[in-house]
Amino acid sequence: MSDDAIAVFQVEARENLELIEQGLLDLLDRPEDRDLVDAVFRGLHTLKGSGAMFGFDALAAFTHHCESAFERVRKDEVAATADLVSAVLAARDHMRRLMEDPSGDHAAAGDLLLADLERAVREAEAIAPTFAARPGMTTWRIRFDLPSNAFRNGVNPLALLAELRDLGEASVVADMSRVPPLNLIEPTDHYLAWDVLLTTDQGRAAIEDVFIFVMDDMTLEIEAVEDAACIEGGETEAAMVQPAAALADPMPNPATAPAVGDPVDVDVARPVRIAESVRVPADRLDELMDRVGELVIAQSRLGQIAHASADPLLRAVSEDIGRLSGELRDTMMVLRMVPVATLFGRFRRLIHDLARETGKAIELSTDGETTEIDKTVIERLADPLIHLIRNAADHGLEQPEDRVAAGKTETGSICLSAHQSGGEVVIVIRDDGRGIDRERVRAKAEAQGLIEPGAAISDHDLLQMIFHPGFSTAQAVTNLSGRGVGMDVVKRTIDSLRGSIDVASRPGEGSEVSLRIPLTLAIIDGLLVRVGQGRYVIPLSAVEECLELSLDEDRRSRGRSFISLRDRLVPFLRLRELFATGTPPELHQKVVVVSSGEERIGLVVDQIIGDHQTVIKSMSKLHASLSTFSGATILGDGGVALILDIANLVAMGQEQEAQMREAV
Amino acid sequence: MDKILTSDASITLKQVYSLKENLISEFGNYNHIVVDISDDCCVDLCGLQLIESARCYATLTGKRLSLSRPAEHLRSLLNDAGFLAGGSSDAVSFWFHEEPAQ
C-alpha cells in the first residue's frame, strides 16, 4: 500500500470520524432520529471496511465492536441512551488514536472502552427504544438510481431489489430511458434506474435501511402512496412503465435512418460528470499563496518602473499585469477562506465532555457560522477558543442548584458567534454565568504585584489582568482550568494573529470575550504613507478617512492631541514624534483616521503615497516586541515598509486621551 | 445479410468492452446482427444493460438485433431486474421470441 493511498485514507477517515462525532452529538438531542442512527452506523461501517482495506487492522477490529453495538440501536433492540452515545463518543476518540498511531500499544485502553460500551449497551437494553411504532400496511413508491460507477464499485442493484421484495409485495420496473445507444455507452457505467411499488407493513426507515450502504452516492425517493386502489386501477402503473417503454418511442423514420457504416449522431446526452470539489493539500495552497505574494511584489516593481518610463506600451502591460495579479490575489484569498462553522463544530464535543466532567447542564449555541476566515487563522484560533470555552464552563457557569437559587435556568448557556467587521472577524464567546469577580481579580493582581494596593485602575484594565501570565482566580485547580496558563496563551496567540481581545462582564449575568481577528494573514490592501524618510503601511480595512493638517492647524493643536471630526473629538498620534524621525513636518501633513472596534484615532503622517497590495512578512524575533508594528512588507523598489498595528496604536491613542483627560 | 455473433462464456462486467467493440464493428458491416447466447452463458446486469444499449442503437439506426434462440435461462434475471415488467411486448419478443400475453 503506497504512502499516498494511506494518507488519503487517513484524511477521509478523519472526516468520517468528524461526521460520526457530529452525528452522535446530534443524537444526544434527538435520540429518536433514525436518520442520525443510520448515519452513525454507516460511518462506523465505512471506517471499519476502509480501515481493514488499508491495513489498519486494530482500527477495523475495534470499530467492528462499536458497529455491532450500534447495529443493535439501529434494529431497535436498544435505545440510544445518553450513556451509550457517550461511550461510543469515547470509543470514537480511540478509533482516531488507532488511525493516527496504528503501531502504538492501545490494546488496554481499547479493552476498557469496549467494557464500558458493553455496560452501556446492557443498561440500554432495559430501556424501550423510542423510535416510532411500525405503521400498518402502506404502499410506497420508491424510485432510485445509482451512481455511474456502481458496477465498478461492486454495488449489486439486484440485491437491493431482492431486499425490497423481502419487505413486502413489490412491483419492480427498470427505467432504461437513460441507457445510451451502443456508440455512446461507457459499458461499465451504470445508467439504470428503478421504480418500485412496495406494499408492506414496514415503515420508511426499513426501506431506507435497504440502501444504507449506498445512500451517500445515490438518488432515492420514497413516498407513501395515498390511494393504493388507484395504483391497482392501472393509471399509476402505466405512468411507471413509461420510462421503460420510452426506448421504443423515438423510433426514427426508416427513410432518414443512416446508411450502413455512417456515424450515428444520436441526441442522447452523456451523463455529465461534474467535480464539485477538489481536495488539495494545505501546504500546496500555502505554496501557491507564497508564489502569488512574490508575484504581487514583482508586479509592484514593474509598476514603479513603468511609472517612471515614458513608454506607453510598458505602462499598458504593467497595468494589465497589475489588474491580473490583483484578481489572482483575490481568487487566491477566496480559496483560503473557510467558514467558522468548521471551527465551531468542534466545540460541541468539548461542551458535551465539559458538562459530564463538571456535572453542569450546558447548552451551546452558535451564530454566524457562515462567516469566513483564512484557513491559517482558523487553525490557530482553535486552542484559544478551547481555553475560553473551558473557562466559561468551569469558572463562569454555576452549578445547577446555584443557578436556580440565583433565579436562572438550570442549564447554563455558552454562545459562540462570529461576524465580519471590515477587514476583521469578530468572534464572541458569551456565557450567562456568574461573571468575573472583580474583587478577587484585584486582590490577586495586588498579591502578584501587578498593581499597587488601592491604586486606581480602569475596569477595562482590571479585566485585562486575567490575561497576565500565571494569573488565575480559580480557588481550586481542576482538570479543566484554573492553572493560570490558559488565558495568557490565549492573549499571546491572538496577538500573534495581529488580533485583539476584549472582555466585558456583569456580575451575576455573565461574561463576554470578544476576539477581533484579521481576515487573512497573507496579503492585505494597504495605504502606503511616508513619515520622515520611512514608509509605512496602514491596513486599508482600518482606514476611515484622510484629512489634511496644515502647519497652522498643527501649531494650534500643540499641547493637545485632538481633532474635531464632525463634532466629535478624535485623539491623534503624530507618528513623526512617535517614531522619533528627527525630521521637520511637511507643509501639508495628513491625518489618516483609523478605527479598531468602536474606537477611532487619527495618525498624522507626512505624505500619503497611495494604495499598496501588501504581502505581509512577519517581523524578526528581534522586533517581535515592537507593539506598534504587526509586520513588514517589501515595496516595488526593493525597500521595506513596516505595517502599522492599528489595534495597538488605537489603544495607545485612547490611553493618551485618558491621561490628558485625567490631567485636566 | 445477417451476422451471427456468438457470445463468449459470459456477458458480464469483464466482457462488456469487447462485446461492445464487436457489436459496433459488426453493425458497421451488417444490417442484422444475431447474437447467440448459449444456455450456459453467464449474464449479469451490466451485460443486460449493454444488450439494451445495442437494441437502442439498432432501433435508432434502422438496423436489427435479435437473439438466435429464446434466452429462457435469463427469464429470472430479467424479471428480478424489472426488465420485463409492464408486459413490454418489445422486450418479451426480443428475449423469448414470444408474443406477450394479452
Coordinates of all heavy atoms in Angstrom, one line a residue, chain A residues 151-152 156-158 161 165 172-174 176 179-192 194 237 241 244-245 247-248 250-252 257-262 264 266 268, chain B residues 13-14 16-17 19-20 23-24 27-31 44-50 52-57 59-63 77 79-88 90-91:
Chain A
F151 N -21.4 -0.2 -10.9 CA -21.0 -1.6 -11.3 C -19.5 -1.8 -10.9 O -19.2 -2.8 -10.4 CB -21.1 -1.8 -12.8 CG -22.6 -1.9 -13.3 CD1 -23.0 -1.3 -14.4 CD2 -23.5 -2.7 -12.6 CE1 -24.3 -1.5 -14.9 CE2 -24.8 -2.9 -13.0 CZ -25.2 -2.3 -14.2
R152 N -18.7 -0.8 -11.2 CA -17.3 -1.0 -11.0 C -17.0 -1.1 -9.5 O -16.0 -1.7 -9.1 CB -16.5 0.2 -11.6 CG -16.5 0.2 -13.1 CD -15.6 1.3 -13.6 NE -16.0 2.6 -13.3 CZ -16.9 3.3 -14.0 NH1 -17.4 2.8 -15.1 NH2 -17.2 4.5 -13.6
N156 N -24.5 -4.1 -6.1 CA -25.4 -5.1 -6.8 C -26.8 -4.6 -6.7 O -27.5 -4.9 -5.7 CB -25.2 -6.5 -6.2 CG -26.0 -7.5 -6.9 OD1 -26.7 -7.2 -7.9 ND2 -25.9 -8.7 -6.5
P157 N -27.3 -4.0 -7.7 CA -28.7 -3.5 -7.6 C -29.7 -4.6 -7.4 O -30.8 -4.4 -6.8 CB -28.9 -2.8 -9.0 CG -27.6 -2.5 -9.5 CD -26.7 -3.6 -9.0
L158 N -29.4 -5.8 -8.0 CA -30.3 -6.9 -7.8 C -30.5 -7.3 -6.4 O -31.6 -7.7 -5.9 CB -29.8 -8.1 -8.6 CG -29.8 -7.9 -10.1 CD1 -29.1 -9.1 -10.8 CD2 -31.3 -7.8 -10.7
L161 N -32.9 -4.8 -4.9 CA -34.3 -5.1 -5.3 C -34.8 -6.3 -4.5 O -35.9 -6.4 -4.1 CB -34.3 -5.4 -6.8 CG -34.1 -4.1 -7.6 CD1 -33.9 -4.5 -9.1 CD2 -35.2 -3.2 -7.5
R165 N -38.0 -6.7 -2.0 CA -39.1 -7.7 -2.2 C -39.3 -8.4 -0.9 O -40.4 -8.9 -0.5 CB -38.6 -8.7 -3.3 CG -38.8 -8.1 -4.7 CD -38.6 -9.2 -5.7 NE -38.8 -8.7 -7.1 CZ -37.9 -8.3 -7.9 NH1 -36.6 -8.3 -7.5 NH2 -38.2 -7.8 -9.1
V172 N -41.6 -4.2 -9.6 CA -40.3 -3.6 -10.0 C -40.3 -3.3 -11.5 O -40.5 -4.2 -12.3 CB -39.1 -4.5 -9.6 CG1 -37.8 -3.8 -10.1 CG2 -39.1 -4.7 -8.1
V173 N -40.0 -2.0 -11.8 CA -39.9 -1.7 -13.2 C -38.6 -1.0 -13.4 O -38.2 0.0 -12.8 CB -41.0 -0.7 -13.6 CG1 -40.9 -0.3 -15.1 CG2 -42.4 -1.3 -13.4
A174 N -37.8 -1.5 -14.3 CA -36.5 -0.9 -14.6 C -36.7 0.3 -15.6 O -37.5 0.2 -16.5 CB -35.6 -1.9 -15.3
M176 N -35.0 2.2 -18.3 CA -33.8 2.2 -19.1 C -33.7 3.4 -20.1 O -32.9 3.4 -21.0 CB -33.9 0.9 -20.0 CG -33.7 -0.4 -19.1 SD -33.9 -1.9 -20.0 CE -35.6 -2.2 -19.9
V179 N -30.3 4.7 -20.7 CA -29.2 3.8 -21.3 C -28.9 4.4 -22.7 O -29.8 4.4 -23.6 CB -29.7 2.4 -21.4 CG1 -28.6 1.5 -22.1 CG2 -30.0 1.8 -20.0
P180 N -27.7 4.8 -23.0 CA -27.4 5.4 -24.3 C -27.3 4.3 -25.3 O -27.0 3.2 -25.0 CB -26.1 6.2 -24.1 CG -25.5 5.6 -22.9 CD -26.6 4.9 -22.1
P181 N -27.3 4.7 -26.6 CA -27.1 3.7 -27.7 C -25.6 3.3 -27.6 O -24.8 3.9 -27.0 CB -27.5 4.4 -28.9 CG -27.4 5.9 -28.6 CD -27.7 6.0 -27.2
L182 N -25.4 2.2 -28.3 CA -24.1 1.5 -28.2 C -22.9 2.4 -28.5 O -21.9 2.2 -27.9 CB -24.2 0.3 -29.3 CG -23.2 -0.8 -29.1 CD1 -23.4 -1.5 -27.7 CD2 -23.3 -1.8 -30.2
N183 N -23.1 3.3 -29.5 CA -21.9 4.1 -29.8 C -21.6 5.1 -28.7 O -20.5 5.6 -28.7 CB -22.1 4.8 -31.2 CG -23.4 5.7 -31.1 OD1 -24.4 5.3 -30.5 ND2 -23.3 6.8 -31.7
L184 N -22.5 5.3 -27.8 CA -22.2 6.4 -26.8 C -22.1 5.8 -25.4 O -21.7 6.5 -24.5 CB -23.4 7.4 -26.8 CG -23.6 8.2 -28.0 CD1 -24.8 9.1 -27.8 CD2 -22.3 9.0 -28.3
I185 N -22.3 4.5 -25.3 CA -22.3 3.9 -23.9 C -20.9 3.7 -23.4 O -20.0 3.4 -24.2 CB -23.1 2.6 -23.9 CG1 -23.4 2.2 -22.4 CG2 -22.3 1.5 -24.5 CD1 -24.4 1.1 -22.3
E186 N -20.7 4.0 -22.2 CA -19.4 3.6 -21.5 C -19.8 2.3 -20.8 O -20.6 2.3 -19.8 CB -19.1 4.7 -20.5 CG -17.9 4.4 -19.6 CD -16.6 4.3 -20.4 OE1 -16.4 5.0 -21.4 OE2 -15.7 3.4 -20.0
P187 N -19.4 1.1 -21.3 CA -20.0 -0.1 -21.0 C -20.1 -0.4 -19.5 O -21.0 -1.1 -19.1 CB -19.2 -1.2 -21.7 CG -18.6 -0.4 -22.8 CD -18.3 1.0 -22.3
T188 N -19.1 0.0 -18.7 CA -19.2 -0.3 -17.3 C -19.8 0.7 -16.4 O -19.9 0.6 -15.2 CB -17.7 -0.6 -16.8 OG1 -17.0 0.6 -16.9 CG2 -17.1 -1.8 -17.5
D189 N -20.3 1.8 -17.1 CA -21.1 2.8 -16.3 C -22.5 2.3 -16.1 O -23.0 1.5 -16.8 CB -21.1 4.1 -17.1 CG -19.9 5.0 -16.8 OD1 -19.0 4.5 -16.1 OD2 -19.9 6.2 -17.3
H190 N -23.1 2.8 -15.0 CA -24.4 2.4 -14.6 C -25.4 3.4 -15.1 O -25.3 4.6 -14.7 CB -24.5 2.2 -13.1 CG -25.7 1.6 -12.6 ND1 -26.8 2.4 -12.4 CD2 -26.1 0.4 -12.3 CE1 -27.8 1.6 -12.0 NE2 -27.4 0.4 -11.9
Y191 N -26.4 3.0 -15.9 CA -27.3 4.0 -16.4 C -28.8 3.7 -16.0 O -29.7 4.4 -16.3 CB -27.3 4.0 -18.0 CG -26.0 4.4 -18.6 CD1 -25.1 3.4 -18.9 CD2 -25.6 5.7 -18.8 CE1 -23.9 3.7 -19.5 CE2 -24.4 6.1 -19.3 CZ -23.5 5.0 -19.7 OH -22.3 5.4 -20.2
L192 N -29.0 2.6 -15.3 CA -30.3 2.2 -15.0 C -30.9 2.9 -13.8 O -30.2 3.4 -12.9 CB -30.3 0.7 -14.7 CG -29.8 -0.2 -15.9 CD1 -29.5 -1.6 -15.4 CD2 -30.8 -0.2 -17.0
W194 N -34.7 2.5 -11.2 CA -35.9 1.6 -10.9 C -37.0 2.3 -10.2 O -36.8 3.2 -9.4 CB -35.4 0.4 -10.0 CG -34.7 -0.6 -10.8 CD1 -35.2 -1.7 -11.4 CD2 -33.3 -0.7 -11.0 NE1 -34.2 -2.4 -12.0 CE2 -33.0 -1.8 -11.8 CE3 -32.2 0.1 -10.6 CZ2 -31.8 -2.2 -12.2 CZ3 -30.9 -0.3 -11.0 CH2 -30.7 -1.5 -11.8
E237 N -49.5 2.6 -12.7 CA -48.6 1.6 -13.2 C -48.2 2.0 -14.6 O -47.0 1.9 -15.0 CB -49.2 0.3 -13.2 CG -48.2 -0.8 -13.5 CD -48.6 -2.1 -13.0 OE1 -49.5 -2.2 -12.1 OE2 -48.1 -3.1 -13.5
V241 N -44.5 2.5 -16.0 CA -44.0 1.7 -17.1 C -43.4 2.6 -18.2 O -42.4 2.2 -18.8 CB -45.1 0.8 -17.6 CG1 -44.6 0.0 -18.9 CG2 -45.5 -0.2 -16.6
A244 N -39.6 2.7 -19.0 CA -39.1 1.5 -19.6 C -39.4 1.4 -21.1 O -38.7 0.9 -21.9 CB -39.6 0.3 -18.8
A245 N -40.6 1.9 -21.4 CA -41.1 1.7 -22.8 C -40.6 2.9 -23.6 O -40.7 2.8 -24.9 CB -42.6 1.7 -22.8
L247 N -37.9 3.6 -24.7 CA -36.9 3.3 -25.7 C -37.6 3.2 -27.1 O -37.0 3.5 -28.1 CB -36.3 1.9 -25.4 CG -35.0 2.0 -24.6 CD1 -34.5 0.6 -24.4 CD2 -33.9 2.8 -25.3
A248 N -38.8 2.7 -27.1 CA -39.5 2.4 -28.3 C -40.0 3.7 -29.0 O -40.3 3.8 -30.1 CB -40.6 1.5 -28.1
P250 N -38.7 6.9 -29.5 CA -38.0 7.7 -30.6 C -37.7 6.9 -31.8 O -36.6 6.9 -32.4 CB -36.7 8.2 -29.9 CG -36.4 7.1 -28.9 CD -37.7 6.5 -28.5
M251 N -38.7 6.2 -32.3 CA -38.5 5.4 -33.5 C -38.2 6.3 -34.7 O -39.0 7.1 -35.0 CB -39.7 4.5 -33.7 CG -39.6 3.6 -34.9 SD -38.5 2.2 -34.5 CE -39.5 1.2 -33.6
P252 N -37.1 6.2 -35.3 CA -36.8 7.1 -36.4 C -37.6 6.7 -37.7 O -38.0 5.5 -37.9 CB -35.3 6.9 -36.6 CG -35.1 5.5 -36.2 CD -36.1 5.2 -35.2
A257 N -33.0 7.0 -41.7 CA -32.0 6.3 -41.0 C -30.7 6.3 -41.7 O -30.6 6.2 -42.9 CB -32.5 4.9 -40.7
P258 N -29.6 6.4 -40.9 CA -28.3 6.5 -41.6 C -28.0 5.2 -42.3 O -28.5 4.1 -41.9 CB -27.3 6.7 -40.4 CG -28.2 7.1 -39.3 CD -29.5 6.6 -39.5
A259 N -27.2 5.3 -43.3 CA -26.8 4.1 -44.0 C -25.8 3.3 -43.2 O -25.2 3.8 -42.3 CB -26.2 4.5 -45.4
V260 N -25.5 2.1 -43.7 CA -24.6 1.2 -43.1 C -23.2 1.9 -43.0 O -22.7 2.4 -44.0 CB -24.4 -0.1 -43.8 CG1 -23.3 -1.0 -43.3 CG2 -25.7 -0.9 -43.7
G261 N -22.6 1.8 -41.8 CA -21.3 2.4 -41.7 C -21.2 3.9 -41.4 O -20.2 4.4 -41.0
D262 N -22.4 4.6 -41.5 CA -22.4 6.0 -41.2 C -22.2 6.2 -39.7 O -22.7 5.4 -38.9 CB -23.7 6.6 -41.7 CG -23.7 6.9 -43.1 OD1 -22.7 6.6 -43.8 OD2 -24.7 7.4 -43.7
V264 N -23.3 7.6 -36.3 CA -24.6 7.9 -35.8 C -24.5 9.1 -34.9 O -23.8 9.1 -33.9 CB -25.2 6.7 -35.0 CG1 -26.6 7.0 -34.5 CG2 -25.1 5.5 -35.9
V266 N -26.6 10.5 -32.4 CA -27.8 10.3 -31.6 C -27.9 11.4 -30.5 O -26.9 11.6 -29.8 CB -27.9 8.9 -31.1 CG1 -29.2 8.7 -30.3 CG2 -27.7 7.9 -32.2
V268 N -28.5 11.7 -27.5 CA -28.6 11.2 -26.1 C -27.4 11.8 -25.4 O -26.3 11.5 -25.6 CB -28.5 9.7 -26.1 CG1 -28.6 9.2 -24.7 CG2 -29.7 9.1 -27.0
Chain B
L13 N -19.5 -7.8 -16.5 CA -18.7 -6.5 -16.4 C -17.4 -6.7 -17.1 O -16.9 -5.8 -17.8 CB -18.5 -6.2 -15.0 CG -17.8 -4.9 -14.6 CD1 -18.7 -3.7 -14.9 CD2 -17.4 -4.9 -13.1
K14 N -16.8 -7.9 -17.0 CA -15.4 -8.0 -17.6 C -15.4 -8.1 -19.1 O -14.4 -7.8 -19.7 CB -14.8 -9.3 -17.0 CG -14.3 -9.2 -15.6 CD -13.7 -10.5 -15.2 CE -13.2 -10.4 -13.8 NZ -12.7 -11.7 -13.2
V16 N -17.9 -6.7 -21.2 CA -18.7 -5.8 -21.9 C -18.0 -4.9 -22.9 O -18.5 -4.5 -24.0 CB -19.6 -4.9 -21.0 CG1 -20.7 -5.7 -20.4 CG2 -18.7 -4.3 -19.9
Y17 N -16.7 -4.5 -22.6 CA -16.0 -3.7 -23.5 C -15.7 -4.4 -24.9 O -16.0 -3.8 -25.9 CB -14.6 -3.3 -22.9 CG -14.7 -2.1 -22.1 CD1 -14.6 -2.1 -20.7 CD2 -14.8 -0.8 -22.6 CE1 -14.7 -1.0 -19.9 CE2 -14.9 0.3 -21.9 CZ -14.8 0.2 -20.5 OH -14.9 1.4 -19.7
L19 N -17.4 -6.9 -26.1 CA -18.7 -7.2 -26.8 C -19.1 -5.9 -27.5 O -19.6 -5.9 -28.6 CB -19.7 -7.7 -25.8 CG -21.1 -8.0 -26.4 CD1 -21.0 -9.1 -27.5 CD2 -22.1 -8.5 -25.3
K20 N -19.0 -4.8 -26.8 CA -19.4 -3.5 -27.4 C -18.6 -3.3 -28.7 O -19.2 -3.0 -29.7 CB -19.1 -2.4 -26.4 CG -19.4 -1.0 -27.1 CD -18.9 0.2 -26.3 CE -18.9 1.4 -27.1 NZ -18.5 2.6 -26.5
L23 N -19.8 -5.6 -31.4 CA -21.2 -5.2 -31.9 C -21.0 -3.9 -32.8 O -21.6 -3.9 -33.9 CB -22.1 -4.9 -30.8 CG -22.7 -6.2 -30.1 CD1 -23.3 -5.8 -28.7 CD2 -23.7 -6.9 -31.0
I24 N -20.3 -3.0 -32.4 CA -20.1 -1.7 -33.1 C -19.5 -2.1 -34.5 O -20.0 -1.6 -35.6 CB -19.2 -0.7 -32.4 CG1 -19.9 -0.1 -31.2 CG2 -18.7 0.3 -33.3 CD1 -20.7 1.1 -31.5
F27 N -22.1 -4.0 -36.6 CA -23.2 -3.1 -37.1 C -22.7 -2.2 -38.3 O -23.5 -1.8 -39.1 CB -23.7 -2.2 -36.0 CG -24.8 -2.8 -35.2 CD1 -24.8 -2.9 -33.8 CD2 -26.0 -3.3 -35.9 CE1 -25.9 -3.5 -33.1 CE2 -27.1 -3.8 -35.1 CZ -27.0 -3.9 -33.8
G28 N -21.4 -2.0 -38.3 CA -20.9 -1.2 -39.4 C -20.9 -2.0 -40.7 O -20.9 -1.4 -41.8
N29 N -21.0 -3.3 -40.6 CA -20.9 -4.1 -41.9 C -22.2 -4.8 -42.2 O -22.4 -5.2 -43.3 CB -19.9 -5.2 -41.7 CG -18.5 -4.6 -41.5 OD1 -18.1 -3.6 -42.1 ND2 -17.7 -5.1 -40.6
Y30 N -23.1 -5.0 -41.2 CA -24.3 -5.7 -41.4 C -25.5 -5.0 -40.9 O -25.4 -4.2 -40.0 CB -24.3 -7.1 -40.7 CG -23.1 -8.0 -41.2 CD1 -21.9 -7.9 -40.5 CD2 -23.3 -8.8 -42.3 CE1 -20.8 -8.7 -40.9 CE2 -22.2 -9.6 -42.7 CZ -21.0 -9.5 -42.0 OH -19.9 -10.3 -42.4
N31 N -26.7 -5.3 -41.5 CA -27.9 -4.6 -41.1 C -28.6 -5.4 -40.0 O -29.4 -4.9 -39.3 CB -28.9 -4.5 -42.3 CG -28.5 -3.2 -43.1 OD1 -28.1 -2.2 -42.5 ND2 -28.5 -3.3 -44.4
D44 N -24.7 -10.8 -16.5 CA -25.1 -10.0 -15.3 C -25.8 -8.8 -15.8 O -26.1 -8.5 -17.0 CB -23.8 -9.7 -14.5 CG -22.9 -8.8 -15.2 OD1 -23.2 -8.3 -16.3 OD2 -21.8 -8.5 -14.6
L45 N -26.1 -7.9 -14.8 CA -26.9 -6.7 -15.1 C -26.2 -5.8 -16.0 O -26.8 -5.1 -16.9 CB -27.2 -6.0 -13.7 CG -28.4 -5.0 -13.7 CD1 -29.7 -5.6 -14.3 CD2 -28.6 -4.5 -12.3
C46 N -24.9 -5.7 -15.9 CA -24.1 -4.9 -16.8 C -24.2 -5.4 -18.2 O -24.3 -4.6 -19.2 CB -22.6 -4.9 -16.3 SG -21.6 -3.7 -17.0
G47 N -24.2 -6.7 -18.3 CA -24.3 -7.3 -19.7 C -25.7 -7.0 -20.2 O -25.8 -6.7 -21.4
L48 N -26.7 -7.2 -19.4 CA -28.1 -6.9 -19.9 C -28.2 -5.4 -20.3 O -28.8 -5.1 -21.4 CB -29.1 -7.1 -18.8 CG -29.4 -8.5 -18.3 CD1 -30.6 -8.5 -17.3 CD2 -29.8 -9.4 -19.5
Q49 N -27.5 -4.5 -19.6 CA -27.6 -3.1 -19.9 C -27.0 -2.9 -21.3 O -27.5 -2.1 -22.1 CB -26.8 -2.3 -18.9 CG -26.8 -0.8 -19.1 CD -26.0 0.0 -18.1 OE1 -26.6 0.4 -17.1 NE2 -24.7 0.1 -18.2
L50 N -25.9 -3.6 -21.6 CA -25.2 -3.4 -22.9 C -26.1 -3.9 -24.0 O -26.2 -3.3 -25.1 CB -23.8 -4.2 -22.9 CG -23.0 -3.9 -24.2 CD1 -22.4 -2.5 -24.1 CD2 -22.0 -4.9 -24.5
E52 N -29.3 -4.0 -24.0 CA -30.4 -3.0 -24.2 C -29.8 -1.8 -25.0 O -30.5 -1.2 -25.8 CB -30.9 -2.5 -22.8 CG -31.8 -3.5 -22.1 CD -33.1 -3.8 -22.9 OE1 -33.5 -3.0 -23.7 OE2 -33.6 -5.0 -22.8
S53 N -28.6 -1.4 -24.7 CA -28.0 -0.3 -25.4 C -27.8 -0.7 -26.9 O -28.1 0.2 -27.8 CB -26.6 -0.1 -24.8 OG -25.8 0.8 -25.6
A54 N -27.5 -1.9 -27.2 CA -27.4 -2.4 -28.6 C -28.7 -2.3 -29.3 O -28.8 -2.0 -30.4 CB -26.7 -3.8 -28.6
R55 N -29.8 -2.7 -28.5 CA -31.1 -2.7 -29.1 C -31.5 -1.3 -29.4 O -32.1 -1.0 -30.5 CB -32.1 -3.3 -28.1 CG -32.0 -4.8 -27.9 CD -33.1 -5.3 -26.9 NE -34.4 -5.0 -27.4 CZ -35.5 -4.8 -26.6 NH1 -35.3 -4.9 -25.3 NH2 -36.7 -4.5 -27.1
C56 N -31.2 -0.4 -28.5 CA -31.5 1.0 -28.7 C -30.7 1.6 -30.0 O -31.3 2.2 -30.8 CB -31.0 1.8 -27.5 SG -31.2 3.6 -27.6
Y57 N -29.5 1.2 -30.1 CA -28.7 1.6 -31.2 C -29.3 1.1 -32.5 O -29.4 1.8 -33.5 CB -27.2 1.1 -31.0 CG -26.3 1.4 -32.1 CD1 -25.6 2.6 -32.1 CD2 -26.0 0.5 -33.2 CE1 -24.7 3.0 -33.1 CE2 -25.1 0.8 -34.2 CZ -24.5 2.1 -34.1 OH -23.6 2.4 -35.1
T59 N -32.3 0.2 -33.1 CA -33.6 0.9 -33.4 C -33.3 2.3 -34.0 O -33.9 2.7 -35.0 CB -34.4 1.1 -32.1 OG1 -34.6 -0.2 -31.5 CG2 -35.8 1.7 -32.4
L60 N -32.4 3.0 -33.4 CA -32.1 4.4 -33.9 C -31.4 4.4 -35.3 O -31.5 5.4 -36.0 CB -31.2 5.1 -32.9 CG -31.9 5.4 -31.5 CD1 -30.9 5.9 -30.5 CD2 -32.9 6.5 -31.7
T61 N -30.7 3.3 -35.6 CA -30.0 3.3 -36.9 C -30.7 2.5 -38.0 O -30.2 2.3 -39.1 CB -28.6 2.8 -36.7 OG1 -28.7 1.5 -36.1 CG2 -27.7 3.7 -35.8
G62 N -31.9 2.0 -37.6 CA -32.7 1.3 -38.6 C -32.2 -0.1 -38.9 O -32.4 -0.7 -40.0
K63 N -31.5 -0.6 -37.9 CA -30.9 -2.0 -38.1 C -31.7 -3.0 -37.2 O -32.6 -2.6 -36.5 CB -29.4 -2.0 -37.7 CG -28.6 -1.2 -38.7 CD -27.2 -0.9 -38.2 CE -26.5 0.0 -39.2 NZ -26.0 -0.7 -40.4
L77 N -33.6 -13.6 -14.2 CA -32.7 -12.4 -14.0 C -33.5 -11.2 -14.6 O -33.5 -10.1 -13.9 CB -31.4 -12.6 -14.8 CG -30.5 -11.3 -14.9 CD1 -30.0 -10.9 -13.5 CD2 -29.3 -11.6 -15.8
N79 N -36.6 -10.8 -15.0 CA -37.8 -10.4 -14.1 C -37.3 -9.7 -12.8 O -37.9 -8.7 -12.5 CB -38.5 -11.7 -13.7 CG -39.7 -11.9 -14.5 OD1 -40.4 -11.0 -14.9 ND2 -40.0 -13.2 -14.9
D80 N -36.3 -10.3 -12.2 CA -35.8 -9.7 -11.0 C -35.3 -8.2 -11.2 O -35.5 -7.4 -10.4 CB -34.6 -10.5 -10.4 CG -35.0 -11.8 -9.9 OD1 -36.3 -12.0 -9.7 OD2 -34.2 -12.6 -9.5
A81 N -34.7 -8.0 -12.4 CA -34.2 -6.7 -12.7 C -35.3 -5.7 -13.2 O -35.0 -4.5 -13.4 CB -33.1 -6.8 -13.7
G82 N -36.5 -6.2 -13.3 CA -37.6 -5.4 -13.7 C -37.6 -5.0 -15.2 O -38.2 -4.1 -15.7
F83 N -36.9 -5.8 -16.0 CA -36.8 -5.5 -17.4 C -38.0 -6.0 -18.2 O -38.2 -5.5 -19.3 CB -35.5 -6.3 -18.0 CG -34.2 -5.5 -17.9 CD1 -33.9 -4.9 -16.7 CD2 -33.3 -5.4 -18.9 CE1 -32.8 -4.2 -16.5 CE2 -32.1 -4.7 -18.7 CZ -31.8 -4.1 -17.5
L84 N -38.8 -6.9 -17.6 CA -39.9 -7.4 -18.3 C -41.2 -6.8 -17.7 O -42.3 -7.2 -18.2 CB -40.0 -8.9 -18.2 CG -38.8 -9.7 -18.7 CD1 -38.9 -11.2 -18.5 CD2 -38.5 -9.4 -20.2
A85 N -41.1 -6.0 -16.7 CA -42.3 -5.5 -16.0 C -43.2 -4.7 -17.0 O -42.6 -4.0 -17.9 CB -41.9 -4.7 -14.8
G86 N -44.4 -4.6 -16.7 CA -45.3 -3.8 -17.6 C -45.7 -4.5 -18.9 O -46.3 -3.9 -19.7
G87 N -45.2 -5.7 -19.0 CA -45.6 -6.5 -20.2 C -45.1 -5.9 -21.5 O -45.8 -5.8 -22.5
S88 N -43.9 -5.3 -21.5 CA -43.3 -4.7 -22.7 C -43.2 -5.7 -23.8 O -42.4 -6.7 -23.7 CB -42.0 -4.1 -22.4 OG -41.3 -3.9 -23.6
D90 N -42.1 -5.5 -26.7 CA -40.8 -5.5 -27.4 C -39.8 -6.4 -26.7 O -39.1 -7.2 -27.3 CB -40.4 -4.0 -27.4 CG -39.3 -3.7 -28.4 OD1 -39.4 -4.4 -29.5 OD2 -38.5 -2.9 -28.2
A91 N -39.7 -6.2 -25.3 CA -38.8 -6.9 -24.6 C -39.0 -8.4 -24.6 O -38.2 -9.3 -24.8 CB -38.8 -6.4 -23.1

